[in-house]
């Protein structure tokens, strides 16, 4: 009996989430988000591919994704797409009154959270697939760094063309493992951002957008390069600022190379995963509590 009740609740949660995905069909906002994601992937990965063509070298198929989404600035750009994708959470459509009659508010919101998680994963997967496609015929699938990566990492060329190929990444990891971590950190940061948008939207309509922008701006400002340039801080001060901001900036937690690989004082990867998972879970639980007193305002089928 208990298992049957649990299955029914899980089905209702799934149907609540699936209702949001059905709205993707013919939705111009969804087309815009994924279209912009592809354009951003092209603009950022084109530098790597163009360098490979110019120097007649090959690429590991995952390298465009690693180098273009392995720094804080690129992750910040992706977070803006998430604000567009989740701006109207929780979605109040024609089916919501039906769900609220047939199931509890908490179960309905759990469906919204499931949708949020699956949609985030889908967007990140689309970005990864886009960069692999854009690598084209110059790519190979072996789990080895390419000559292109070596040139970018061990010279100052990568810095000149704004491609973040870092030596410690090349020396202490392999492309497939590095891709999993870059993908995981981006997804963790995205889920935390989306959970903030959801929770604040439950408090005040459009409050999530403001909170999401402030959250992203907070991470951007806690950047050692930005602050050291503004306040003219030297190299020694920059090193300490880099460590400090590596611990307190969510955006730096989402950046793969800003982690401890055995010889610095930056956070370890598992700490960042715990930070994102813990923060998201706390906000989801707070949203569950808030939905119990949330005032639904339907005018016909509109919010």
């Amino acid at each position: 009996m208990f298992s049957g009740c649990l299955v029914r609740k899980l089905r209702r949660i799934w149907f609540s989430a699936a209702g949001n995905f059905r709205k993707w069909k013919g939705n111009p906002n969804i087309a815009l988000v994924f279209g912009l994601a592809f354009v951003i992937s092209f603009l950022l990965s084109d530098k790597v591919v163009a360098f490979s063509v110019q120097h007649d070298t090959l690429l590991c198929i995952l390298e465009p994704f690693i180098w273009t989404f392995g720094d804080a600035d690129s992750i910040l750009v992706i977070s803006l797409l998430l604000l567009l994708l989740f701006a109207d959470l929780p979605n109040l459509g024609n089916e919501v009154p039906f769900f609220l009659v047939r199931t509890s508010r908490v179960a309905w919101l759990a469906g919204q959270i499931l949708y949020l998680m699956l949609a985030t994963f889908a967007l990140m997967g689309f970005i990864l697939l886009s960069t692999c496609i854009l690598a084209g015929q110059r790519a190979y699938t072996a789990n080895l760094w390419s000559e292109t990566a070596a040139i970018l990492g061990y010279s100052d060329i990568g810095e000149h063309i704004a491609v973040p190929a870092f030596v410690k990444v090349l020396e202490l990891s392999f492309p497939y493992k590095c891709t999993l971590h870059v993908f995981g950190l981006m997804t963790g940061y995205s889920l935390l951002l989306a959970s903030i948008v959801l929770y604040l939207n439950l408090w005040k309509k459009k409050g999530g957008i403001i909170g999401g922008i402030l959250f992203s701006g907070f991470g951007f400002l806690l950047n050692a390069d930005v602050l050291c340039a503004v306040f003219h801080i030297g190299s020694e001060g920059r090193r300490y600022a880099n460590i400090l901001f590596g611990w307190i900036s969510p955006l730096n937690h989402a950046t793969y190379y800003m982690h401890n690989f055995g010889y610095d004082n930056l956070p370890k990867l598992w700490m960042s995963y715990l930070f994102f998972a813990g923060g998201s879970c706390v906000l989801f639980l707070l949203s569950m509590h808030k939905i119990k007193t949330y005032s639904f305002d339907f005018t016909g089928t509109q919010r």
Side-chain angles (χ1 to χ4, degrees), residues 269-291:
L269 286 166
W270 68 265
M271 295 177 181
S272 293
Y273 288 127
L274 183 62
F275 169 74
F276 290 132
S280 299
C281 288
V282 168
L283 286 164
F284 288 150
L285 290 174
L286 290 174
S287 297
M288 291 287 191
H289 178 73
K290 178 60 181 175
I291 197 63

Side-chain angles (χ1 to χ4, degrees), residues 4 6 11 26 31 36 42 49 65 67 73 86-87 97 101 104 110 121 165 173 192 196 201 219 275 282:
L6 178 61
R11 281 169 56 85
L36 288 174
F42 171 76
V49 176
F65 176 79
W67 301 134
D73 293 339
F86 298 129
V101 170
S104 67
F121 191 83
S173 65
L192 181 58
I196 291 173
N201 275 345
F275 169 74
V282 168

Side-chain angles (χ1 to χ4, degrees), residues 44-53 59 64 67-68 148 152 163:
L44 295 177
S45 63
D46 183 61
K47 293 177 291 186
V48 180
V49 176
F51 180 86
S52 173
V53 172
L59 288 164
W67 301 134
T68 55
T148 304
L152 292 174
V163 175

Side-chain angles (χ1 to χ4, degrees), residues 33-220:
V33 168
F34 281 86
L36 288 174
F38 185 82
V39 171
I40 291 170
S41 299
F42 171 76
L43 293 176
L44 295 177
S45 63
D46 183 61
K47 293 177 291 186
V48 180
V49 176
F51 180 86
S52 173
V53 172
Q54 181 181 355
H55 292 79
D56 195 25
T57 57
L58 296 178
L59 288 164
C60 174
I61 194 169
L62 298 174
E63 284 179 8
F65 176 79
I66 294 170
W67 301 134
T68 55
F69 296 101
D71 70 338
D73 293 339
S74 300
I75 297 172
L76 181 63
V77 172
I78 296 302
S79 71
L80 299 179
L81 295 181
L82 290 165
L83 291 177
L84 180 60
L85 181 62
F86 298 129
D88 59 347
L89 281 178
N91 292 319
L92 298 180
N94 299 351
E95 76 288 351
V96 174
F98 169 78
F99 277 112
L100 294 176
V101 170
R102 295 295 299 271
T103 188
S104 67
R105 292 181 173 215
V106 171
W108 173 77
L109 185 64
Q112 303 297 304
I113 292 173
L114 177 61
Y115 161 75
L116 180 152
M117 296 171 66
L118 294 176
T120 299
F121 191 83
L123 180 61
M124 295 301 110
F126 176 80
I127 292 171
L128 173 59
L129 179 62
S130 297
T131 56
C132 291
I133 293 173
L134 291 169
Q137 298 180 349
R138 306 201 64 81
Y140 60 84
T141 58
N143 189 24
L144 295 170
W145 295 113
S146 68
E147 184 181 357
T148 304
I151 296 173
L152 292 174
Y154 288 97
S155 69
D156 59 356
I157 298 177
E159 183 178 352
H160 288 161
I161 64 174
V163 175
F166 297 96
V167 173
K168 72 176 184 179
V169 174
L170 295 174
E171 293 181 343
L172 300 173
S173 65
F174 288 94
Y176 280 54
K177 179 181 178 181
C178 184
T179 299
L180 287 175
H181 283 302
V182 172
F183 185 91
L185 292 169
M186 285 179 61
T187 303
Y189 177 82
S190 301
L191 281 176
L192 181 58
L193 175 61
S195 65
I196 291 173
V197 173
L198 174 63
Y199 178 65
L200 293 179
N201 275 345
L202 290 175
W203 277 97
K204 185 176 179 60
K205 186 178 180 180
K206 303 302 181 183
I209 292 293
I210 297 173
I213 292 174
L214 291 176
F215 177 76
S216 299
F218 173 75
F220 175 75

